[in-house]
């Protein structure tokens, strides 16, 4: 039991470092960059509150668990903003390989049973093939859209993003798991880009 | 649907402010105060990883949901550190009344069905009578103990806390929902206080 708890807390203490990983997106009030720990909390709350936007059969409890762990690899790799490098860096082979190594290291701190369960959940999220993962990805994509709308443009201004780029890089993925959500927020994004283009 | 989503996002955007509420406890590396948003994330991760410390029958998915929302009232009230005012402020009648008003306001932003569900979950956490709430409270108490051990004393130094005060204010509540967890971390806390007394 003692060794098991030591491994559980080694993971929980290492996870604390996610609070120091900064994202390109700011808080809703624009006051500072968001960190990936508080981002993960906000997304889990999104899942709790927007569960009615998920397809039938999506298990919101699994979605919440996925979102709680989805960014832990950033402790080693950092956040790769979706609009950086003209939208090419986020899902590059290099980034994905580095994230896989980070997952081995970080989930590997846990006792074997937990390590296997949580790494499989992270891999399911990354693969974005199951209904739970597709919905989780939609939430991960919609939250920065709302933050940008609230904070005056945020990463759209910082990376000189067009509405078409937003739709192709982000909107398509939101719509895949939560079409009603993209319909609703798309209207607001269109207005923003019309005013600020 | 549109009005419903507007209410859901009014709540989610208001919740963002929890990322700006600072706690007395620091990050594990001692670099800065922890905010209540990232704290809520870390606690949900604690529940996921330490589920085997819960009593039989505890529903970890409900515990995670509770922990995701447990501190939202601090948007209006702020964090009241457990060791402040010689341990008397945290559960004062004034604090509890202010938190109840905050819950009405913040959960009241949601559509009625969600508002009722989440406020009931928060009240269950606060009352700390059900097995799920008792376990959630244990995690909320043990995380700052670990942060203080890792960061060199933290709030124990700041508020000149003795081991007996730690045990009566915090340890008893950890032990109530997670006796194995308190047994394990108590040994480490005793050592810390012996060295630093």
């Amino acid at each position: 039991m003692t060794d098991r708890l030591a491994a559980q807390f080694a993971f929980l203490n290492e996870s604390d470092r996610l609070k120091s990983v900064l994202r390109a997106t700011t808080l809703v009030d624009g006051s500072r960059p968001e960190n990936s720990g508080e981002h993960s909390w906000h997304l889990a709350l999104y899942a709790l509150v927007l569960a009615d936007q998920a397809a039938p059969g999506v298990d919101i409890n699994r979605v919440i668990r996925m979102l709680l762990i989805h960014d832990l690899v950033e402790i080693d790799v950092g956040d790769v903003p979706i609009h950086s490098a003209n939208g090419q860096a986020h899902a590059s082979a290099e980034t994905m390989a580095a994230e896989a190594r980070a997952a081995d290291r970080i989930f590997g701190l846990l006792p074997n049973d937990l390590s296997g369960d949580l790494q499989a959940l992270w891999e399911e999220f990354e693969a974005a093939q199951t209904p739970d993962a597709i919905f989780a990805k939609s939430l991960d994509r919609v939250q920065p859209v709302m933050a940008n709308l609230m904070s005056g443009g945020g990463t759209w201004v910082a990376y000189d993003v067009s509405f078409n780029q937003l739709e192709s890089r982000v909107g398509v993925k939101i719509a895949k798991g939560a079409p009603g959500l993209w319909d609703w927020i798309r209207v607001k994004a269109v207005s923003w880009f019309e005013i600020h283009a």
Side-chain angles (χ1 to χ4, degrees), chain A residues 29-78:
Chain A
D29 67 8
S31 58
R32 62 165 174 83
E34 187 184 39
N35 73 59
S36 293
E38 64 200 3
H39 165 71
S40 299
W41 164 71
H42 207 185
L43 283 186
L45 200 62
Y46 265 60
L48 191 52
V49 164
L50 297 170
D52 59 356
Q53 294 293 323
V58 167
D59 179 341
I60 292 297
N61 290 321
R62 288 191 81 246
V63 171
I64 289 172
R65 288 168 180 240
M66 254 180 221
L67 291 168
L68 291 173
I69 62 160
H70 83 293
D71 268 347
L72 284 172
V73 295
E74 295 184 357
I75 290 169
D76 288 357
V77 182

Side-chain angles (χ1 to χ4, degrees), chain A residues 43-44 46-48 50-51 53-70 117 120-141 173-174 176-178 181:
Chain A
L43 283 186
Y46 265 60
L48 191 52
L50 297 170
Q53 294 293 323
V58 167
D59 179 341
I60 292 297
N61 290 321
R62 288 191 81 246
V63 171
I64 289 172
R65 288 168 180 240
M66 254 180 221
L67 291 168
L68 291 173
I69 62 160
H70 83 293
D117 287 353
L121 198 62
W122 176 77
E123 287 166 359
E124 180 180 337
F125 173 81
E126 282 296 300
Q129 298 298 316
T130 64
D132 293 352
I134 291 167
F135 185 62
K137 286 269 183 189
S138 292
L139 298 179
D140 192 28
R141 292 286 179 267
K173 289 178 187 170
I174 298 173
K176 191 170 180 197
L181 220 45

